[in-house]
């Protein structure tokens, strides 16, 4: 199983990048360092000139991979959601009981991210922090409808659909499975953000609290007892 996981490649929409960064050492270096820099300085302060200086390469070399930093953010967030999806699939594929499968899925998508050695050039812990702080900037743009039609958000939407299907398998008559699934994913990011920056606005102060909160939210919505 470990060898299988190590062979997994997260498939990103080819329209997001000019040249696949996974195809070269420089491309992987661009991804690796951009995660470190965006986490350290924030997306607004980050630019390709600073990235080029960091990797000791011309700024123009970064533009051979990404048209602009917005496309780079789309790449990073798409990669993150693809990584979450593959973890979700492998963590739940052998669970037959629908309620147990849903609980496992909720724990996976709402808990704090841990380092994954399967992808050595990507720090998933720092990338998750970027998603928490910056993900909304990837779609709160005037171009969102066009980019959506181009399939830029297909991985995230597919993840919502997977979670929605699990919700429907537990509560077949529940009217809002897509809304609940997207609420869990977006709400989890928000609760982690509140934990870090606005502690008085959340009750999720412990490591397990976001998962406990969303598990209760989902199962109460489905009129099910999460404790069996």
């Amino acid at each position: 199983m470990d060898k299988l996981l190590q062979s997994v490649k997260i498939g990103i929409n080819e329209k997001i990048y000019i040249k696949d960064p996974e195809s070269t050492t420089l491309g992987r270096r661009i991804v690796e360092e951009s995660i470190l820099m965006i986490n350290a300085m924030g997306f607004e302060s980050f630019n390709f000139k600073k990235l080029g200086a960091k990797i000791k390469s011309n700024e123009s070399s970064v533009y051979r991979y990404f048209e602009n930093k917005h496309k780079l953010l789309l790449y990073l967030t798409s990669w993150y959601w693809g990584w979450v999806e593959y973890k979700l699939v492998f963590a739940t594929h052998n669970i037959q009981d629908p309620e147990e499968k849903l609980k496992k899925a909720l724990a996976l998508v709402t808990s704090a991210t841990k380092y994954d050695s399967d992808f050595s050039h990507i720090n998933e812990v720092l990338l998750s922090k970027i998603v928490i702080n910056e993900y909304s900037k990837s779609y709160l743009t005037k171009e969102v409808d066009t980019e959506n039609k181009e399939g830029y958000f297909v991985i995230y939407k597919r993840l919502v659909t997977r979670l929605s299907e699990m919700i429907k398998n537990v509560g077949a008559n529940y009217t809002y499975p897509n809304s609940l699934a997207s609420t869990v994913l977006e709400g989890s990011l928000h609760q982690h953000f509140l934990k870090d920056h606005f502690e008085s606005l959340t009750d999720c102060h412990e490591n397990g609290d976001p998962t406990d909160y969303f598990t209760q939210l989902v199962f109460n919505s489905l009129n099910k007892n999460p404790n069996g």
Side-chain angles (χ1 to χ4, degrees):
M1 178 64 75
D2 290 339
K3 291 182 178 179
L4 177 61
L5 294 181
Q6 289 172 1
S7 68
V8 169
K9 182 180 185 299
I10 306 299
I12 309 297
N13 188 324
E14 294 180 357
K15 296 178 182 179
I16 291 177
Y17 53 80
I18 297 171
K19 182 177 181 179
D20 184 0
E22 291 292 322
S23 65
T24 68
T25 300
L26 176 60
R28 291 190 293 272
R29 176 78 167 153
I30 287 171
V31 170
E32 180 181 18
E33 288 297 334
S34 66
I35 291 171
L36 298 176
M37 293 179 69
I38 294 173
N39 178 69
M41 68 177 60
F43 185 65
E44 289 84 356
S45 298
F46 169 83
N47 59 48
F48 284 177
K49 183 177 182 180
K50 294 176 182 177
L51 177 58
K54 181 67 175 179
I55 62 176
K56 295 180 172 57
S57 181
N58 294 328
E59 180 182 357
S60 59
S61 67
V62 182
Y63 282 104
R64 287 200 287 270
Y65 290 85
F66 296 99
E67 180 182 351
N68 51 49
K69 72 174 188 177
H70 172 67
K71 291 290 184 66
L72 173 58
L73 181 62
L74 283 167
Y75 180 90
L76 294 178
T77 55
S78 294
W79 192 98
Y80 174 80
W81 292 121
W83 174 73
V84 172
E85 181 186 35
Y86 112 81
K87 299 285 280 188
L88 177 69
V89 170
F90 279 105
T92 62
H93 77 286
N94 281 331
I95 302 176
Q96 300 301 319
D97 181 77
E99 293 190 13
E100 289 300 317
K101 178 173 283 195
L102 179 56
K103 283 192 285 186
K104 181 69 174 181
L106 292 171
L108 192 145
V109 301
T110 61
S111 60
T113 298
K114 297 180 180 179
Y115 176 70
D116 185 350
S117 60
D118 293 336
F119 301 94
S120 59
H121 67 294
I122 291 183
N123 187 319
E124 296 84 5
V125 175
L126 295 185
L127 181 55
S128 71
K129 293 181 179 179
I130 291 173
V131 172
I132 289 168
N133 291 315
E134 315 282 5
Y135 178 56
S136 63
K137 296 169 187 173
S138 71
Y139 62 83
L140 292 179
T141 68
K142 290 291 186 180
E143 295 77 29
V144 63
D145 291 332
T146 299
E147 292 179 345
N148 184 37
K149 290 178 182 177
E150 292 290 328
Y152 289 7
F153 306 101
V154 67
I155 298 177
Y156 177 74
K157 292 165 69 175
R158 193 169 64 216
L159 181 59
V160 171
T161 299
R162 288 187 185 278
L163 189 57
S164 175
E165 289 298 321
M166 293 182 188
I167 290 171
K168 286 190 285 187
N169 287 337
V170 173
N173 296 322
Y174 185 67
T175 311
Y176 308 106
N178 290 327
S179 297
L180 187 56
S182 59
T183 293
V184 169
L185 291 179
E186 291 289 340
S188 177
L189 298 182
H190 187 56
Q191 290 300 316
H192 281 288
F193 183 87
L194 294 178
K195 281 178 61 179
D196 292 337
H197 302 288
F198 297 101
E199 293 183 6
S200 64
L201 300 183
T202 179
D203 298 305
C204 300
H205 296 193
E206 301 299 328
N207 289 335
D209 277 353
T211 294
D212 294 341
Y213 166 63
F214 284 106
T215 301
Q216 287 189 39
L217 176 66
V218 169
F219 278 83
N220 287 343
S221 297
L222 300 178
N223 294 316
K224 301 286 185 177
N225 183 353
N227 297 316

